[in-house]
């Protein structure tokens, strides 16, 4: 269970930073893995409005921090928390640039008809402060957030906002801030922590375990907190597998193979499903282990990949029924 926190204020130790850090600390206490990104410190070029992503599915800008940093994190996140001060009824420019660059993710959903595998259960949440007390202070932000979260396939789960917070340190003194954060974390994080943590493992983490992990998220993300990894991870996922999953409406973009060690250093799975990781398959005492005997589709024609894909889908459906009953 991973929470991405986007810190939108240029002030490094201001109200927004306190707000987000306190939220993430409370989530970590519940067992969540978190990462805070100081957005103004990132190299994020503004959207050019060129329309390339609507034709190709990817942003034409490839050399800043979106491609290898922000997009993969947005994909990995179970919850995206955007924390921001109000600047002229919206977010500061750096966070707005990040949001605008999510037009390429919007294109993948609405032009290419594919979804983030976690779409059904991914949440978006807003933390915000502003100096004035105007009734409409957060209206612009709420509208922007609604469309941002839609573009990243997250369901807008609400916000905590405070007026009359101006100087650094003001929010710390707010009488209900800690309780409000605790309540939000209990509502958002605890249900996701109660899912069964399942690690799908194969050798290179390019085909079988990727498909199994994505189907588990896509079909049973309310019951399964899915991870996938390989005993000797390759550099990139298999493009034929990506194509076969796109046929199912599942978008595998921005996923990278990871090692089994990397995953189990962060999370202790309740179950490991192995699919040919050989002798390097992990053994964790008290973790249930099952083996699925699928042939490796790497290097084979797409028809073979489709067949393995469909068999994995059926297995995941059966597994979801088994763990819920
Ligand atoms: C460029 C700029 C624009 C701002 N615009 C607004 C605004 O439209 N409405 C408002 O209530 N506060 C506005 N503020 C005040 C900030 O929202 C407020 O000081 C906030 O507490 C700053 O949060 P931080 O400490 O996380 O940076 C603005 C501040 C700056 C620097």
């Amino acid at each position: 269970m991973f929470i991405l926190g986007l810190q939108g204020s240029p002030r490094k130790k201001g109200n927004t930073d306190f707000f987000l850090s306190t939220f993430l600390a409370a989530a970590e206490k519940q067992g969540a893995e978190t990462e805070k990104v100081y957005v103004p410190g990132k190299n994020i070029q503004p959207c050019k409005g060129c329309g390339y992503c609507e034709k190709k599915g990817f942003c034409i800008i490839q050399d800043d921090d979106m491609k290898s940093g922000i997009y993969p994190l947005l994909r990995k996140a179970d919850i995206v928390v955007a924390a921001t001060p109000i600047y002229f009824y919206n977010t500061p420019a750096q966070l707005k640039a990040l949001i605008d660059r999510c037009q390429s993710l919007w294109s993948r959903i609405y032009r290419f008809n594919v979804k983030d595998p976690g779409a059904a259960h991914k949440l978006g949440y807003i933390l915000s402060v502003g100096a004035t007390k105007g009734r409409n202070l957060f209206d612009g932000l709420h509208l922007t957030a609604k469309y941002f979260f839609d573009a990243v396939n997250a369901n807008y789960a609400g916000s905590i906002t405070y007026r009359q917070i101006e100087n650094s340190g003001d929010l710390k003194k707010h009488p209900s801030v800690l309780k409000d954060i605790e309540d939000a974390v209990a509502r958002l994080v605890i249900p996701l922590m109660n899912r069964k943590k399942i690690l799908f493992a194969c050798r290179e983490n390019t085909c079988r375990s990727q498909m199994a992990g994505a189907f588990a998220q896509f079909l049973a993300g309310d019951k399964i907190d899915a991870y996938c990894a390989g005993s000797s991870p390759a550099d990139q996922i298999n493009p034929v597998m990506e194509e076969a999953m796109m046929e199912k409406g599942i978008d595998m973009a921005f996923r990278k193979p990871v090692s089994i060690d990397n995953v189990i250093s962060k999370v202790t799975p309740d179950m490991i499903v192995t699919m040919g990781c050989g002798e390097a398959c992990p053994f964790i005492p008290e973790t249930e282990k099952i083996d699925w005997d699928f042939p490796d589709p790497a290097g084979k024609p797409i028809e073979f990949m489709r067949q393995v894909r469909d068999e994995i889908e059926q297995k995941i459906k059966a597994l979801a029924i088994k763990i819920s009953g």
Side-chain angles (χ1 to χ4, degrees):
M1 213 299 259
F2 173 67
I3 304 179
L4 171 63
L6 299 172
Q7 204 289 69
S9 174
R11 263 193 206 166
K12 275 196 160 159
K13 292 199 171 147
N15 298 301
T16 306
D17 192 70
F18 165 77
F19 209 170
L20 181 60
S21 301
T22 309
F23 186 100
L24 296 180
E28 279 175 19
K29 254 195 186 165
Q30 299 299 333
E33 181 197 347
T34 73
E35 183 167 334
K36 181 171 78 176
V37 173
Y38 173 61
V39 176
K42 292 289 172 193
N43 172 17
I44 300 175
Q45 295 173 42
C47 173
K48 295 176 192 285
C50 63
Y52 183 89
C53 63
E54 293 202 32
K55 292 188 200 96
K56 303 283 182 189
F58 287 98
C59 184
I60 196 164
I61 306 166
Q62 299 272 318
D63 57 354
D64 66 2
D65 289 334
M66 289 302 288
K67 185 183 169 197
S68 56
I70 304 297
Y71 294 135
L73 286 171
L74 286 166
R75 276 295 160 92
K76 183 182 166 192
D78 294 285
I79 306 178
V80 179
V81 181
T84 177
I86 294 296
Y87 277 17
F88 291 86
Y89 285 90
N90 215 296
T91 67
Q94 298 91 336
L95 179 57
K96 186 61 168 49
L98 182 155
I99 291 171
D100 292 350
R101 289 286 296 288
C102 290
Q103 179 69 5
S104 58
L105 301 180
W106 179 94
S107 294
R108 299 187 70 81
I109 302 169
Y110 293 106
R111 294 286 179 264
F112 291 80
N113 300 314
V114 286
K115 276 187 183 166
D116 181 324
H121 306 283
K122 193 189 282 278
L123 301 176
Y125 201 70
I126 288 286
L127 306 174
S128 184
V129 293
T132 59
K133 58 178 178 185
R135 201 159 51 92
N136 304 325
L137 182 55
F138 299 103
D139 289 3
L141 174 64
H142 285 312
L143 283 170
T144 302
K146 185 174 166 207
Y147 288 96
F148 167 52
F149 289 134
D150 184 60
V152 300
N153 264 156
N155 303 286
Y156 192 7
S159 62
I160 310 176
T161 55
Y162 299 109
R163 293 173 171 79
Q164 294 182 284
I165 301 293
E166 182 162 16
N167 301 309
S168 285
D170 279 0
L171 187 60
K172 268 189 197 157
K173 297 183 221 139
H174 192 283
S176 70
V177 64
L178 297 180
K179 171 85 172 66
D180 294 343
I181 289 173
E182 222 171 81
D183 290 349
V185 166
R187 186 170 68 81
L188 302 173
V189 177
I190 293 175
L192 293 177
M193 290 308 302
N194 288 337
R195 296 174 300 172
K196 200 170 176 96
K197 296 182 197 67
I198 304 184
L199 169 61
F200 298 92
C202 69
R203 206 162 49 80
E204 293 196 316
N205 191 216
T206 59
C207 294
R208 291 166 291 181
S209 58
Q210 286 286 349
M211 290 193 279
F215 274 126
Q217 281 180 282
F218 195 68
L219 299 168
D222 54 336
K223 303 181 191 83
I224 299 175
D225 184 8
Y227 299 84
C228 68
S231 53
S232 25
D235 292 336
Q236 56 179 46
I237 59 171
N238 184 304
V240 181
M241 180 279 295
E242 269 193 87
E243 201 185 323
M245 291 298 272
M246 279 185 93
E247 293 171 358
K248 286 271 170 182
I250 300 176
D251 191 358
M252 304 298 278
F254 309 109
R255 291 169 78 106
K256 262 197 98 134
V258 292
S259 73
I260 292 170
D261 289 347
N262 177 300
V263 172
I264 60 182
S265 69
K266 293 183 196 138
V267 62
T268 305
D270 301 307
M271 180 189 279
I272 299 182
V273 178
T274 56
M275 285 168 276
C277 42
E279 286 171 7
C281 282
F283 173 76
I284 304 173
E286 287 159 40
T287 292
E288 188 183 347
K289 190 167 159 184
I290 53 177
D291 194 54
W292 288 353
D293 189 19
F294 291 115
D296 187 356
K300 306 255 167 60
I302 190 153
E303 292 72 27
F304 192 76
M305 185 70 76
R306 287 186 184 122
Q307 202 181 315
V308 175
R309 173 199 68 191
D310 292 346
E311 285 173 23
I312 289 176
E313 183 182 14
Q314 293 313 315
K315 280 272 199 194
I316 293 290
K317 283 184 180 164
L319 182 67
I321 292 169
K322 190 178 148 207
I323 61 174
S324 44

